[in-house]
Amino acid sequence: MRTVFIGAGQVSIETAKALVEKSHEVIIVENDKTKIDELSDDMDCSFLLGDGSRPDILREVNPEHTDILFCLTDSDQSNVIASLVGRSLGFKRIVTSIRDKQFAGICHELGLTDTIIPSRTISRYLVDMVGGSKNVELSTVLKDEARFFMFIAEEEDAVVVNELKLPVDARVVCYYREGKFAHANEDTALRVGDEIVILTHSKSLNELEKRWQPKLQKENPSE
């Protein structure tokens, strides 16, 4: 698998190192030459000096041959812009990191479905720890070919779960309505705006992604 990271922050570095150890191809785009010089001695991956939100820079990493673009700089605005530029250039999948929660709604409106909020993930973990519960690492649950897929329900998805016509190896396991968690079964009535979580076999991810790909994505005017 080929991955590109925009921003050489700690998350990018640790993730990149883990991917390299698993023999994945990794490229890190960073606009600080000093940082690249420091990291290049310890990391067996490629580096590209430049602003990762610029189209000319992202074209250099061959979007059509990249599996995932991670936008992980310290700037929410830069990450959003880089994600939109990456989408226009044809990257297959884009992950956008944001720190300010008010950007979450904007990312949704822009069709940036793979948005992560690190502070929210950490805070939930700590709250559970204080509550005395034993947290289960996701990696210990998703073994073999099991995968999670999430999408936000549009008008055509506001149906009973068993009417979604999912692949045979996919099941809706839960959903979030106005930020509140709830279990789901075949008779659960979904509403517009619900965040739906599906447990599926990895072979069905492509079908699910094609069905619920960002509807706001437009054709590249240059094509």
Side-chain angles (χ1 to χ4, degrees):
M1 181 173 286
R2 189 172 192 270
T3 59
V4 173
F5 292 82
I6 298 178
Q10 196 60 38
V11 174
S12 294
I13 294 171
E14 294 300 326
T15 307
K17 286 182 177 179
L19 289 173
V20 169
E21 289 179 358
K22 294 181 179 294
S23 300
H24 294 295
E25 181 182 359
V26 173
I27 300 174
I28 298 178
V29 181
E30 170 60 47
N31 58 13
D32 185 339
K33 186 178 184 303
T34 301
K35 183 174 290 188
I36 290 178
D37 291 339
E38 293 174 350
L39 293 172
S40 58
D41 292 334
D42 300 323
M43 297 183 64
D44 187 17
C45 66
S46 300
F47 291 90
L48 176 62
L49 177 63
D51 182 351
S53 65
R54 290 177 55 89
D56 57 336
I57 296 296
L58 286 184
R59 285 194 185 96
E60 291 189 39
V61 298
N62 296 321
E64 66 276 12
H65 295 127
T66 299
D67 295 287
I68 304 178
L69 172 66
F70 291 100
C71 302
L72 306 178
T73 74
D74 292 332
S75 168
D76 289 349
Q77 293 91 329
S78 295
N79 291 337
V80 172
I81 292 173
S83 298
L84 294 175
V85 171
R87 190 173 67 187
S88 72
L89 295 177
F91 282 90
K92 300 173 185 176
R93 185 177 183 184
I94 301 168
V95 176
T96 312
S97 176
I98 57 174
R99 298 185 177 186
D100 192 334
K101 295 180 181 179
Q102 67 178 326
F103 281 97
I106 295 175
C107 287
H108 171 56
E109 292 176 3
L110 294 173
L112 301 176
T113 55
D114 280 327
T115 300
I116 57 175
I117 306 177
S119 61
R120 177 184 294 175
T121 301
I122 295 172
S123 64
R124 287 174 177 170
Y125 185 93
L126 296 179
V127 168
D128 289 344
M129 182 183 294
V130 172
S133 63
K134 183 178 180 181
N135 292 276
V136 180
E137 291 290 342
L138 192 59
S139 60
T140 67
V141 178
L142 292 184
K143 298 179 181 179
D144 193 40
E145 297 299 323
R147 300 290 186 274
F148 278 128
F149 177 82
M150 177 181 284
F151 71 95
I152 298 177
E154 302 280 346
E155 186 173 352
E156 61 269 26
D157 305 313
V159 296
V160 176
V161 167
N162 63 11
E163 296 177 0
L164 282 176
K165 297 180 180 179
L166 299 173
V168 294
D169 51 16
R171 299 285 186 277
V172 174
V173 292
C174 67
Y175 64 95
Y176 297 89
R177 180 171 295 162
E178 297 180 353
K180 301 295 184 180
F181 165 81
H183 289 289
N185 56 48
E186 292 188 351
D187 298 320
T188 299
L190 304 176
R191 299 179 186 174
V192 174
D194 287 351
E195 295 179 70
I196 316 300
V197 181
I198 295 174
L199 179 62
T200 183
H201 191 285
S202 62
K203 68 182 181 182
S204 294
L205 280 177
N206 189 48
E207 179 181 345
L208 294 172
E209 289 172 352
K210 285 182 178 179
R211 179 173 175 182
W212 281 290
Q213 64 185 350
K215 294 179 175 59
L216 295 179
Q217 184 171 351
K218 299 180 180 179
E219 293 185 358
N220 187 345
S222 64
E223 293 183 351

